[in-house]
Amino acid sequence: MESTLSRDEIRRYSRHLVMPEVGREGQERLQTARALVIGAGGLGSPVAMYLAAAGVGKLGVVEFDRVEESNLQRQVLFGQSDIGLPKIEVASERLRQINPLIEISSHATKIDAANAMDLVAGYDLVIDGSDNFPTRYLINDVCVLTGKPDVYGSIFRFEGQISVFWGARGPCYRCLFPEPPPPGLVPSCAEGGVLGVLPGIIGSLQANEAIKLILGIGETLVGRLLILDALSLRFREMRLKKSPDCPICSAAPKLTELIDYEAFCGIDQTASEPDEINISVTQLRRRQEQGHRPLLLDVRTPREWQICRLDGAKLLPLNELTARWQELDPEQEVIVYCHHGHRSARAVDFLRRAGLP
């Protein structure tokens, strides 16, 4: 059979072609494969770069954020000159530089229950590079409903996790985590930090799993959760079983369509209405110049407080708020802040219900 690979492709993928496990047939499988990467951050960067380099024929990237300076410690798709630019534009150009012989599909949007089915429809597998629970459950559910594998990865501080959730052939994410943790219990990477090289390690492993799935070789992580402790550099493995009570991948599923994942994860959307609770630093300074003296309440961790803080602020970490909120003067206006706004929004919701202005 005559090869469908061009001379340029034969030269580019020569190290694949000499491997019996890949060869011409395997490279042609990669050439016709369609992979969707959700997120172009810490995990999505190495995943997309290695899949592009490997020759995955159609590579889709979903991303809606802009490059921030704090991204550069771990998100290797971006550089100093990219700060402030849309991530999807920078990522797409970088991936085309890595491999101009493949198709890069840019999806400048946030994946949600309204668009997830359409986004996933044109792809064979999905790689989860998200950083929040609503999106993880959404990706899992849309993959189960469409019968596609979900290459999962997560990172926090020095620990990383990776698995392949594939409801048609094994357990899904809901089999492992039937319910999300209570809001605020698990800190985000912005709140707790992450070792800069860790997403590179986990993301590379995700790319490895995606390539094995496309080629149909090796033993994938379906039914296994791999956990890395980067401090000790030890891996441990958990065997996962399909839950007979899983609401979406069991024989009698209760979920047959996508749901409101923010509500499922206990995130109060009313707490993020701009006109209701948000105040900019410019507005705060203007009010202070007019004589207002609200209490500035910092709900970050003591470690974050040591790095930087606003003058005159009071530290009351979010996880101590329910036990210590009565330390606050109920007659004084309170303005709450954190790093990204998620913790302060939860704190405001609690304090309002407690009766503080």
Side-chain angles (χ1 to χ4, degrees):
M1 179 179 176
E2 185 178 351
S3 175
T4 61
L5 300 175
S6 67
R7 289 184 177 181
D8 288 342
E9 289 168 329
I10 290 173
R11 285 194 295 268
R12 178 178 288 266
Y13 307 127
S14 62
R15 300 304 188 272
H16 273 174
L17 298 176
V18 298
M19 298 173 66
E21 298 84 356
V22 184
R24 175 185 57 80
E25 182 180 350
Q27 193 61 49
E28 288 173 346
R29 286 186 182 181
L30 288 167
Q31 186 183 49
T32 59
R34 303 168 300 170
L36 181 66
V37 181
I38 309 293
L43 293 173
S45 288
V47 169
M49 293 169 75
Y50 274 112
L51 293 185
V56 172
K58 180 179 179 181
L59 185 58
V61 181
V62 179
E63 181 57 72
F64 67 96
D65 213 346
R66 290 180 177 269
V67 180
E68 297 180 8
E69 192 167 10
S70 62
N71 300 151
L72 305 184
Q73 166 251 14
R74 66 201 177 280
Q75 299 182 15
V76 292
L77 269 172
F78 314 114
Q80 186 72 23
S81 62
D82 302 320
I83 293 174
L85 299 177
K87 283 185 178 180
I88 192 67
E89 294 180 7
V90 179
S92 299
E93 179 57 31
R94 175 74 177 120
L95 295 173
R96 291 188 182 97
Q97 288 292 322
I98 290 174
N99 193 346
L101 304 180
I102 65 172
E103 177 186 351
I104 304 296
S105 293
S106 304
H107 303 282
T109 185
K110 180 178 181 180
I111 189 170
D112 55 31
N115 63 17
M117 284 292 191
D118 290 337
L119 284 172
V120 170
Y123 297 92
D124 306 313
L125 73 162
V126 177
I127 300 92
D128 181 357
S130 65
D131 61 356
N132 61 85
F133 289 104
T135 305
R136 288 173 188 159
Y137 280 100
L138 168 62
I139 293 171
N140 175 79
D141 291 1
V142 73
C143 284
V144 171
L145 293 175
T146 57
K148 297 174 182 180
D150 166 16
V151 183
Y152 160 80
S154 71
I155 49 174
F156 179 68
R157 301 196 70 201
F158 296 97
E159 183 178 289
Q161 299 181 357
I162 177 176
S163 186
V164 175
F165 297 116
W166 198 351
R169 301 191 182 185
C172 76
Y173 183 74
R174 285 182 181 268
C175 294
L176 178 61
F177 301 112
E179 298 290 336
L185 181 64
V186 179
S188 67
C189 287
E191 297 165 358
V194 62
L195 184 67
V197 299
L198 183 62
I201 299 169
I202 299 300
S204 297
L205 291 173
Q206 286 181 277
N208 181 63
E209 290 302 297
I211 291 171
K212 288 193 301 180
L213 287 166
I214 293 169
L215 295 177
I217 62 173
E219 181 184 359
T220 68
L221 284 173
V222 173
R224 297 186 290 154
L225 179 71
L226 193 65
I227 303 171
L228 167 64
D229 180 346
L231 272 182
S232 63
L233 203 57
R234 287 189 173 92
F235 286 92
R236 41 192 188 98
E237 183 180 297
M238 290 176 55
R239 289 282 175 174
L240 306 178
K241 293 184 178 181
K242 199 174 182 71
S243 170
D245 301 319
C246 180
I248 195 163
C249 80
S250 64
K254 298 177 182 177
L255 291 177
T256 57
E257 59 184 18
L258 302 180
I259 61 173
D260 183 340
Y261 292 90
E262 302 284 346
F264 173 68
C265 293
I267 298 175
D268 182 7
Q269 293 302 292
T270 62
S272 60
E273 297 174 3
D275 294 337
E276 283 294 312
I277 66 167
N278 286 352
I279 181 173
S280 70
V281 290
T282 305
Q283 291 171 320
L284 173 59
R285 173 52 61 90
R286 188 179 301 121
R287 293 178 66 179
Q288 289 176 325
E289 290 173 348
Q290 294 171 349
H292 293 273
R293 292 293 177 265
L295 170 64
L296 302 182
L297 187 66
D298 189 329
V299 294
R300 300 173 302 152
T301 64
R303 187 175 299 276
E304 291 173 286
W305 169 270
Q306 291 174 358
I307 296 171
C308 63
R309 55 186 178 269
L310 298 182
D311 291 339
K314 174 183 176 65
L315 175 65
L316 182 49
L318 183 64
N319 61 1
E320 299 178 20
L321 188 62
T322 56
R324 296 177 51 196
W325 69 271
Q326 291 178 323
E327 296 177 14
L328 306 177
D329 182 355
E331 301 299 323
Q332 184 178 19
E333 180 186 23
V334 179
I335 292 182
V336 191
Y337 74 91
C338 61
H339 187 235
H340 273 68
H342 303 297
R343 285 172 289 179
S344 55
R346 293 196 292 269
V348 166
D349 181 60
F350 171 79
L351 294 174
R352 276 181 152 182
R353 287 187 278 110
L356 271 73

